[in-house]
Amino acid sequence: MTRPVECATCGNRVLCEKFSPAHTSVRWSAPSAAVCPVIRARVAAGEPAGRVRRCEELRGSIEAAVASGALEVTGADLP
């Protein structure tokens, strides 16, 4: 089930769905380079925004949401 998750570092809110421990779907509500300081810095350093696939701070917030039960692993991609 898709749930909102807020980044503990910058406060950005994304919609997430966790299909398995390794598979997470993340939908940004705004262009990532505009809202995430980590991605913004990488883009400012010359990396194309479309190639920046993740932010470790947001990843930590997603994992914390899973650990707390706020975001469930659905098992939708498990056999």
Side-chain angles (χ1 to χ4, degrees):
M1 178 178 293
T2 303
R3 298 271 187 219
V5 175
E6 184 173 312
C7 178
T9 300
C10 71
N12 181 46
R13 288 178 59 112
V14 297
L15 293 176
C16 292
E17 189 163 1
K18 206 62 179 136
F19 298 106
S20 72
H23 182 182
T24 305
S25 170
V26 177
R27 286 186 285 176
W28 293 81
S29 59
S32 57
V35 296
C36 175
V38 171
I39 294 175
R40 185 172 45 244
R42 290 174 64 183
V43 170
E47 194 169 347
R51 299 218 178 202
V52 181
R53 293 290 195 197
R54 65 187 292 149
C55 166
E56 291 303 320
E57 284 77 4
L58 177 60
R59 174 67 45 203
S61 296
I62 293 168
E63 294 306 320
V66 171
S68 74
L71 181 62
E72 295 179 24
V73 177
T74 65
D77 69 348
L78 299 176

